[in-house]
Amino acid sequence: MSAMPAVPFPPAVPSTPATPASLASPSSRASPTTPASPSSPASPATPSSPATPSSPSSPSSPASPSSLTSPASPPRRPIRPDQVTLTLLAADDAPALAELEARNQDQLLVAAPAREEDWCTEAAQRTAIAHALADREMGRSLPLAIRFEEEGVTRLVGRLNLSGITRGAFDSASLGYWVDHAVTGRGVATAAVRSAIAVAFGGLGLHRIQAEVKVGNDASCRVLEHCGFAEYGLAHSYLRLGGEWSDCRLFQLVDSRWRPTGPSMPPATEGTVVGPEVPALQETLDLYGAVGWGAYTDEPATLMRALAGSARVVTARRDGRLLGLARVIGDGATIVYLQDVLVHPDARRSGVGRRLVDAAFAPFADVRQQVLLTDAEPGQRAFYESLGFTEVHDHEPELRSFVRQ
């Protein structure tokens, strides 16, 4: 059986860049990361204050920095990387974003570019999202929502943007992000940045990612360094944050240097990054070919349409190499169907399949019907039962399933 990710990120890029990595002051609780982009720099990442999305009136304005927690924040319980997922920003996210912006307003005022007075309203957020998605359609940015699953509930906890996407000789983008101060200090920003790296280098096929962090935002710098970014300079009066021009530390990550590291994972999956992404065509065909799924590789155009039309697609990568993929289809409200789950022969029996399935279903924890159809191979039943699935003939009350081919 097979399951793939639902959000086709590569095709387009968001209009609203995430704020650079260092937008907030060291004392602020939440601070954004803001990558600079040729047209409009995203606010820097700031360990103490969240990154701020672009304002409705200026679609190109960056999202605020990546980490919003202040050094004085109490210790928080760490999370598993698969609890954090990225999804394409949608109009329906406006209410949750407005509430988040209002709750983190004090931190974002210090760490992000100036906003209109009505920025924290649902109407303003809808406008900003519309601008971001329009920018994505033009291939200039990729606006993403950061979602966090805990105790069976998945909620939106921040924004991440790949902005200023430039092709040709540069082939680069700026990274900006921010997270709710309520979840800072637990690894949410780090997990989100790791997933974004996989999307940038895998799905978007970029060569380089840059991020700017306001001087003094050491926490955001650590997030970037933990994800493999290298500091390469200092820019004076680089971004206007909190109403004043701020000096920023400059970071970059180049695809050939990408070596994922981070929170400890089970030894079998050490270094494997799982996150939402629609991979490039050739590596997708190579993966499907490696598992012998000729029906897919014989019709590449159909395969890519299937991926693009999925409700969610997630991949597993190690050192940038595509090792697995899962995708879910459905309406996202009453039923979701695990369509594909495939793991490269080199990575089998390492826990990758389980992580892919968990990540694919993560945003749909509240959906009542989660179903799948798979081959009657030995081991399939044990695998899916270990994930909480029940074969139809064992279900109470009794059910029947039908297939038409």
Side-chain angles (χ1 to χ4, degrees), residues 59-81:
S60 61
S61 50
S64 335
S66 61
S67 76
L68 307 185
T69 350
S70 69
S73 302
R76 312 277 181 92
R77 182 160 50 91
I79 52 107
R80 302 187 317 275

Side-chain angles (χ1 to χ4, degrees), residues 52-128:
T52 330
S54 57
S55 70
S57 58
S58 81
S60 61
S61 50
S64 335
S66 61
S67 76
L68 307 185
T69 350
S70 69
S73 302
R76 312 277 181 92
R77 182 160 50 91
I79 52 107
R80 302 187 317 275
D82 60 2
Q83 288 179 264
V84 179
T85 55
L86 299 179
T87 61
L88 187 63
L89 197 63
D92 290 346
D93 291 323
L97 271 179
E99 190 274 332
L100 275 181
E101 289 278 356
R103 180 140 46 86
N104 292 281
Q105 192 171 20
D106 290 345
Q107 290 75 33
L108 290 172
L109 283 174
V110 196
R115 306 298 188 192
E116 299 294 334
E117 289 184 3
D118 67 346
W119 177 250
C120 296
T121 65
E122 184 177 331
Q125 290 303 309
R126 284 191 185 281
T127 301

Side-chain angles (χ1 to χ4, degrees), residues 344-364:
H344 194 283
D346 294 348
R348 286 179 180 163
R349 297 191 172 279
S350 67
V352 170
R354 173 182 292 273
R355 290 183 61 195
L356 283 167
V357 174
D358 287 343
F361 276 118
F364 310 113

Side-chain angles (χ1 to χ4, degrees), residues 368-371 381 385 388-400:
R368 186 168 60 89
Q369 298 182 74
Q370 299 181 2
V371 298
R381 174 169 180 151
E385 285 184 341
F389 288 88
T390 302
E391 280 208 70
V392 169
H393 60 69
D394 293 333
H395 190 275
E396 292 293 342
E398 184 178 348
L399 295 174
R400 286 193 176 126

